[in-house]
Amino acid sequence: MAAADVAYAPPMKSGKMGFEGTQEVQHRIRITLSSKSVKNLEKVCGDLVKGAKEKKLRVKGPVRIPTKVLHITTRKSPCGEGTNTWDRFEMRVHKRVIDLVSSADVVKQITSITIEPGVEVEVTISDQ
Amino acid sequence: MGGGARKSRKFATFRLFPRAGAADPNDRVFVRVDNNDYTVPGFGDDDAAFDPSLSSTDDAADHFSSGPLPDHLRREILELGLPDDGYNYLHHLRELRPSAASFVPNQDAPPLPLDVKAYDASKVRIASGKVEDELDEGRTMCKVAAKTAPLSRIERAVDPDIARLLDESDASHGGGSEDEGLEEDFVIMANRTEGEEEEDDEEEEVVDDVFLSDVEEEEELEDDEGEPKPRVRRLLDEQFDLLALEEYGDTDDDDDRGVRDGECELPTEVIDELKLFHSQNVSVTEEYRTPADFVHGKLDSSTTEDVDESANVLKKCAEYAEKYLNETAEEEEVVLVSESSDESEMWDCETIVSTYSNLDNHPGKIQTPGNHKKRLPKVFPGETATTKDIIKLQGKEKLPVEYLPQRKRNGVKEKKTKPTEAPTDENFNKGAQKETKEEKKARKAAVKEEKREARKTKKELKGLYKFETQKAQKVAAVTGPASIRLM
């Protein structure tokens, strides 16, 4: 067969050799997730880390920042009369930080996955 | 920090916000949050969020912070119903996207009586009655009907999917064949026309394309027929084919050749078996005969020999059992079952440290408050149990007396012990003799002093108690139940 004469060439690598990583510039990306509910937050965290690992990125796993607990202690009574009963209200804010090294587009893709309501996502991109 | 200048902040921070005016909460946009100069090309401002129609006014005006807005802007703002307070609310307007809900005036059809239902028959084709192959796309209901009414949201008479399927089936059978079902001897036909099959298919596909291209305009079809259009062959494709041939060509050559020829020749053993079956002459018209009958060569059914047969059954069973036993003894297969190992997760050291959730992990331990000013010795001589860890609550206010700050008590008490001892000795010595005036004075003064001190300590303690209860109340407000009353 004539086709057998053609030498088998290895598949060519796209992009210039020696350029940063693959074609796109890599950035250091920090994703900060904060929320009032731990369950949603942990789920989103897990999804992000899983998504990043699937894309074979360098991930620094979810670092858990200590929870901030905001207290409000007030008298239950609207007037001063009666037993001195107090209401204690608290709001817990949980925060997680994920570090990645990738290009901006990939991060956009990863974060476009459904995010639970109530989870705030902040992405900080900086040069490597 | 040192005296050096602040490092240039080469980062950009974005926050995910739900898109303004979007119904779907998953529709989110990255909004820049910081004010650095650093730009990231991938996270550039989204075009949709930026209103191009207003950009011209913005460029010209360049953020009016002082001075009134130009009149045309003010008029527009007022028209929208927004207040005229010098702020350019048009900044926040956005064009309607096609996906967003568009407001179409509601045209309700005249209300029908309850027993009448209206359908949209605009797409229904009227049969011409002439040659079946001719396509009468022009004769839709609209053109034929004597009277048509404007429609909105009326159900279609013909489901588009069903219509499409019907059209396709029509085309493949050469357009309107009367027997829509299969021919009776379709198997034979299929076997006969194996060689001619490929040609037929091509013809039919061409017909399909021509036929469907018209239909596709009206009904939004997925382009299934036209999909496998050969795209431009790249160098890579040829290389891949070569590679595939090299790696897999040798093993599959024989099979492929057979398939490619189109004559699926069964291996000879199978054909022989089939012939055997054929020779058994299983005919339907004659009376029923089981295969066992054929084996024993019986032509008509007779039950005379059945009784003898049953006698042999036991013998036969024993034979089979022995055979089976021998077989299993010889063939003992060793089956290897490989357990799938759990995939080992790769953790880096930072991840390991942080796998504990704050729900369970509380690094700080709560301990009993230590008191370096405790008066009582830790272990009394003779005491068996050490009650060091128990905080005792004493008094009406239930305070941990041992842990309260005690000021001057030691000093005061020490001073007291000395003067009290001295006068007692003197009294004993001088009990009989009369006391001199000074001694009486001294004694009375001492008593006065004692009382004064006692009063003072009492007042102090009382104040301390009240202070402590207030503090305890504050703490109890957060931690303790409301039923315990402290003050």
Side-chain angles (χ1 to χ4, degrees), chain A residues 31 33 41-62 64 97-100 106-107 109-111 113-114 116, chain B residues 343 345-347 351:
Chain A
I31 305 178
L33 306 153
L41 185 62
E42 289 288 340
K43 184 172 183 299
V44 173
C45 250
D47 285 345
L48 277 180
V49 170
K50 198 171 77 167
K53 284 194 174 168
E54 273 169 17
K55 310 243 178 199
K56 312 273 191 240
L57 305 170
R58 257 194 291 160
V59 192
K60 303 278 168 77
R64 294 173 174 89
V97 175
I98 297 175
D99 280 348
L100 307 168
V106 177
V107 169
Q109 259 176 31
I110 294 173
T111 48
I113 301 168
T114 49
E116 306 279 322
Chain B
E343 55 181 30
E345 294 183 355
M346 301 293 292
W347 298 97
T351 329

Side-chain angles (χ1 to χ4, degrees), chain A residues 58-102:
Chain A
R58 257 194 291 160
V59 192
K60 303 278 168 77
V63 179
R64 294 173 174 89
I65 307 290
T67 316
K68 298 189 200 31
V69 188
L70 318 171
H71 291 289
I72 291 177
T73 309
T74 45
R75 276 288 300 275
K76 276 190 183 167
S77 158
C79 57
E81 200 270 334
T83 349
N84 297 339
T85 46
W86 295 78
D87 261 331
R88 322 140 214 150
F89 300 105
E90 67 179 27
M91 180 160 92
R92 294 186 181 186
V93 180
H94 308 270
K95 192 161 151 186
R96 306 273 182 270
V97 175
I98 297 175
D99 280 348
L100 307 168
V101 179
S102 90

Side-chain angles (χ1 to χ4, degrees), chain B residues 204-250:
Chain B
E204 283 172 3
E205 276 181 14
V206 168
V207 171
D208 281 353
D209 276 326
V210 167
F211 185 86
L212 287 170
S213 58
D214 303 324
V215 179
E216 276 168 35
E217 287 168 28
E218 296 175 354
E219 300 159 359
E220 307 107 40
L221 269 180
E222 293 296 312
D223 203 1
D224 295 321
E225 302 293 321
E227 206 190 339
K229 222 190 297 174
R231 59 191 175 93
V232 178
R233 255 184 104 76
R234 305 176 294 182
L235 172 67
L236 198 61
D237 290 333
E238 293 193 12
Q239 287 170 353
F240 178 74
D241 285 344
L242 274 172
L243 176 66
L245 256 176
E246 273 187 27
E247 296 222 339
Y248 306 110
D250 298 329

Side-chain angles (χ1 to χ4, degrees), chain B residues 155-413:
Chain B
E155 298 144 65
R156 291 168 153 249
V158 183
D159 199 7
D161 293 327
I162 294 170
R164 185 192 357 131
L165 286 169
L166 288 170
D167 288 337
E168 276 183 15
S169 68
D170 272 344
S172 61
H173 290 306
S177 61
E178 272 155 27
D179 352 276
E180 302 234 329
L182 299 163
E183 305 285 292
E184 279 182 359
D185 52 349
F186 63 94
V187 176
I188 294 166
M189 273 179 67
N191 288 333
R192 211 194 309 137
T193 59
E194 244 171 23
E196 307 154 6
E197 229 177 48
E198 288 160 358
E199 298 164 19
D200 280 295
D201 278 346
E202 285 174 72
E203 281 178 8
E204 283 172 3
E205 276 181 14
V206 168
V207 171
D208 281 353
D209 276 326
V210 167
F211 185 86
L212 287 170
S213 58
D214 303 324
V215 179
E216 276 168 35
E217 287 168 28
E218 296 175 354
E219 300 159 359
E220 307 107 40
L221 269 180
E222 293 296 312
D223 203 1
D224 295 321
E225 302 293 321
E227 206 190 339
K229 222 190 297 174
R231 59 191 175 93
V232 178
R233 255 184 104 76
R234 305 176 294 182
L235 172 67
L236 198 61
D237 290 333
E238 293 193 12
Q239 287 170 353
F240 178 74
D241 285 344
L242 274 172
L243 176 66
L245 256 176
E246 273 187 27
E247 296 222 339
Y248 306 110
D250 298 329
T251 54
D252 282 354
D253 257 343
D254 303 323
D255 296 341
D256 283 353
R257 232 181 277 132
V259 171
R260 265 186 252 125
D261 291 347
E263 298 167 353
C264 300
E265 269 195 6
L266 302 165
T268 46
E269 302 91 37
V270 179
I271 291 173
D272 289 338
E273 283 292 305
L274 286 174
K275 280 189 187 151
L276 245 176
F277 178 70
H278 223 268
S279 69
Q280 280 179 8
N281 195 21
V282 182
S283 51
V284 186
T285 50
E286 295 173 9
E287 66 179 274
Y288 177 70
R289 254 174 256 145
T290 57
D293 292 340
F294 284 110
V295 168
H296 294 289
K298 268 181 275 192
L299 291 175
D300 43 27
S301 59
S302 55
T303 53
T304 47
E305 294 188 19
D306 284 349
V307 180
D308 295 339
E309 288 281 315
S310 59
N312 295 335
V313 161
L314 283 170
K315 202 169 76 172
K316 281 204 174 160
C317 281
E319 282 177 24
Y320 288 142
E322 269 183 50
K323 215 181 9 173
Y324 185 74
L325 224 110
N326 292 336
E327 278 178 9
T328 48
E330 289 165 9
E331 307 159 9
E332 266 186 14
E333 288 176 10
V334 178
V335 178
L336 290 168
V337 178
S338 62
E339 287 178 10
S340 59
S341 59
D342 298 310
E343 55 181 30
S344 53
E345 294 183 355
M346 301 293 292
W347 298 97
D348 52 329
C349 56
E350 277 156 313
T351 329
I352 284 178
V353 166
S354 60
T355 45
Y356 291 117
S357 162
N358 272 353
L359 290 171
D360 315 312
N361 186 29
H362 304 282
K365 252 192 170 179
I366 300 170
Q367 290 163 344
T368 54
N371 197 3
H372 55 280
K373 291 184 197 168
K374 253 202 296 194
R375 286 196 305 136
L376 307 169
K378 293 197 177 175
V379 181
F380 278 109
E383 202 179 304
T384 47
T386 49
T387 53
K388 183 176 74 163
D389 292 326
I390 296 173
I391 301 171
K392 289 193 186 129
L393 304 173
Q394 292 160 8
K396 179 185 149 205
E397 284 88 359
K398 307 280 179 211
L399 291 174
V401 178
E402 292 159 18
Y403 295 89
L404 290 177
Q406 287 152 4
R407 313 161 213 158
K408 293 180 191 176
R409 256 195 181 176
N410 295 335
V412 169
K413 283 244 164 163

Side-chain angles (χ1 to χ4, degrees), chain B residues 451-480:
Chain B
K451 287 201 174 152
R452 199 188 299 150
E453 291 300 316
R455 258 182 273 129
K456 211 163 129 192
T457 47
K458 185 176 177 184
K459 198 165 191 185
E460 235 183 78
L461 205 65
K462 208 175 180 183
L464 193 72
Y465 267 35
K466 204 161 196 190
F467 178 65
E468 287 300 322
T469 33
Q470 273 181 358
K471 259 177 56 176
Q473 192 187 50
K474 270 197 199 160
V475 173
V478 180
T479 53

